[in-house]
Amino acid sequence: MKTRSAIPVASAALALALLAFVTPPVAAADTVDPAADARAFKKFFTDKFPKLKPEDFVNGPYSMNEDLHKQWEEKEQFPPYEFSLEAGKEMFSKPFKNGKSYQDCFPNKGIGIRQNYPYFDEKEGKVVTLELALNRCREANGEAPLSYVKDDMAALTAYMAFTSRGKPFDIKIPNDPRALEAYQKGKEYFYTRRGQLNFSCATCHVQSPGERIRAEVLAPALGILNALPIYRSEWSGMGTTSRRFTTCNSQIRGVPLDPQADEYRDLEYYLSYVSNGLPISGPGARP
Amino acid sequence: MASTIRVRATSNGDTTEVQALIQHPMDSGFVKDARGQIIPPHFIQELTFEYDGKAVFVADWGGGISKDPYVKFAFKGGKKGDDLKVSWVDNKGATDTTTAKIQ
């Protein structure tokens, strides 16, 4: 992957050369245009599922299958993530040893801001996800970081998502070549095949949403992060975005990266960006 | 710690439908943890729903019931606004109890 960084530079030069010769200018096929990507991405799914309203996509497999939808409506009367949500609410306002709490680390005291994460941090030059921001908040206040995959982290993000329910994803890509690069890398990760089964994320979540994989119904990539964190019956517990990424990687018999590795952060950036405008529906429940 | 029991009871006049969700690990005693040590059995043995001083639903459970169990049943009678008492006892002697108003 290291050698690839030379390619954009070369292609930019090529594009410039093209511009010099060709009028009217033809956009080079590999220029990064997130807005056009997101439009094309949405169009692909809305064409594939013409009956669905855009906001239905955030409910993943439940919008794809009538039986599942019925079960889900029943489940939602008594959501399995309730215990976690309650624990998260308690944790969120509980002060650390130094008297500060999570509320002091976030704009608007952390209420109703989930839809702005992940964001590109211009100081660091990297994508910062909500989970990462929560752990940095802990470390800044002298607390040990939490595990990224389950219990406490899931409870905290569940509460933050809950306070943002219904707010549309609002991911911004600042005018910074590093931000575009992060977006592009996330997109590459999403479409790159890997693992013993040679699957990319897109193999399941773009090619086959609504199809069965064994007994599960695959969710569409559009709006796939809106419902996170989720209670999965398969896990009989909660899981975060990090957990979803790592388990996806191991299910295709690849080697998962560490939670919050740069690639995962970029991937979350890409996936959230193309779902811009769809409402947050987390915490969710999945079979 | 909040109550481990979530309960909702709705009356339609002659029967009352009850749904309950209980937070409990329900370890069967046959599962090993990551280090290969057996996780000792820890499960709810008796779950009781009482209405008007009488038990309307009693479950004798063992390790075969899943974690965080969900129960749904209906019983004849039950008036809106009355109390329904739910309690469980597990094999370690721990208990929890809660009361819900029938809606």
Side-chain angles (χ1 to χ4, degrees):
Chain A
M1 291 302 289
K2 284 277 178 289
T3 54
R4 295 197 69 111
S5 56
I7 294 170
V9 182
S11 62
L14 183 69
L16 283 175
L18 276 176
L19 286 181
F21 292 113
V22 186
T23 45
V26 181
D30 57 359
T31 43
V32 182
D33 183 355
D37 273 359
R39 276 196 304 275
F41 200 78
K42 285 198 176 75
K43 184 174 178 324
F44 171 85
F45 284 102
T46 44
D47 287 353
K48 198 174 168 90
F49 301 101
K51 285 195 195 129
L52 293 189
K53 293 201 249 346
E55 65 271 20
D56 286 344
F57 285 100
V58 303
N59 298 323
Y62 299 122
S63 300
M64 310 265 135
N65 178 306
E66 216 166 301
D67 273 353
L68 274 177
H69 200 275
K70 276 204 198 88
Q71 288 176 28
W72 173 58
E73 280 180 351
E74 239 172 62
K75 217 192 235 176
E76 279 295 306
Q77 295 184 0
F78 240 77
Y81 49 76
E82 237 176 54
F83 292 121
S84 173
L85 185 56
E86 206 159 275
K89 188 175 177 173
E90 224 167 273
M91 257 189 276
F92 195 77
S93 50
K94 208 169 122 200
F96 300 128
K97 284 192 202 73
N98 66 0
K100 290 211 157 95
S101 73
Y102 292 110
Q103 299 173 345
D104 303 316
C105 300
F106 291 98
N108 196 27
K109 292 200 166 167
I111 303 299
I113 55 162
R114 153 80 187 101
Q115 70 283 3
N116 304 324
Y117 285 80
Y119 71 94
F120 185 80
D121 187 274
E122 309 214 17
K123 273 207 283 292
E124 194 189 350
K126 284 187 179 179
V127 174
V128 175
T129 64
L130 185 63
E131 291 161 31
L132 194 65
L134 279 162
N135 259 352
R136 284 185 178 173
C137 173
R138 288 181 65 86
E139 283 171 325
N141 288 300
E143 302 275 330
L146 298 169
S147 149
Y148 278 115
V149 283
K150 313 196 239 210
D151 315 335
D152 289 0
M153 185 55 84
L156 284 167
T157 47
Y159 174 64
M160 290 183 85
F162 188 74
T163 62
S164 313
R165 268 195 179 180
K167 298 192 174 184
F169 243 133
D170 184 17
I171 306 299
K172 295 192 173 53
I173 299 186
N175 195 1
D176 180 332
R178 292 170 308 171
L180 274 181
E181 194 189 6
Y183 167 88
Q184 191 60 14
K185 278 191 175 151
K187 183 177 173 181
E188 250 164 45
Y189 193 89
F190 184 79
Y191 287 103
T192 305
R193 290 176 174 268
R194 59 177 57 83
Q196 198 182 18
L197 297 183
N198 203 25
F199 273 29
S200 70
C201 310
T203 311
C204 290
H205 297 287
V206 176
Q207 276 182 9
S208 325
E211 304 289 333
R212 283 188 182 276
I213 183 159
R214 304 192 184 103
E216 309 277 7
V217 173
L218 285 164
L222 181 66
I224 202 165
L225 295 181
N226 297 49
L228 286 154
I230 44 176
Y231 181 98
R232 280 202 85 186
S233 310
E234 183 194 328
W235 298 334
S236 59
M238 297 289 291
T240 57
T241 308
S242 300
R243 186 173 191 184
R244 195 55 284 205
F245 288 165
T246 49
T247 49
C248 264
N249 274 172
S250 46
Q251 278 167 334
I252 59 171
R253 299 182 200 161
V255 179
L257 307 165
D258 289 335
Q260 300 301 320
D262 288 359
E263 288 91 337
Y264 282 164
R265 284 154 71 175
D266 294 345
L267 174 63
E268 193 173 331
Y269 194 43
Y270 167 74
L271 273 178
S272 307
Y273 180 82
V274 293
S275 300
N276 260 352
L278 296 180
I280 298 289
S281 64
R286 294 286 179 268
Chain B
M1 181 67 212
S3 172
T4 59
I5 307 174
R6 289 284 148 76
V7 65
R8 183 172 306 152
T10 39
S11 161
N12 66 359
D14 44 8
T15 59
T16 303
E17 190 179 78
V18 183
Q19 294 184 79
L21 183 69
I22 300 156
Q23 197 178 16
H24 199 281
M26 299 298 283
D27 294 316
S28 66
F30 298 101
V31 178
K32 289 177 180 170
D33 63 13
R35 291 203 316 273
Q37 304 293 318
I38 292 246
I39 301 168
H42 183 206
F43 51 80
I44 293 175
Q45 279 184 310
E46 193 174 66
L47 167 74
T48 319
F49 291 80
E50 278 179 30
Y51 172 72
D52 202 15
K54 284 199 297 287
V56 289
F57 184 98
V58 180
D60 290 325
W61 278 351
I65 306 293
S66 68
K67 180 184 152 184
D68 295 352
Y70 169 78
V71 183
K72 186 175 175 181
F73 69 95
F75 66 92
K76 281 204 178 84
K79 280 209 305 289
K80 275 192 177 42
D82 284 4
D83 279 348
L84 181 78
K85 189 171 158 226
V86 190
S87 53
W88 57 257
V89 182
D90 71 17
N91 64 333
K92 294 183 175 178
T95 76
D96 196 6
T97 208
T98 191
T99 315
K101 290 254 183 292
I102 296 177
Q103 295 164 347

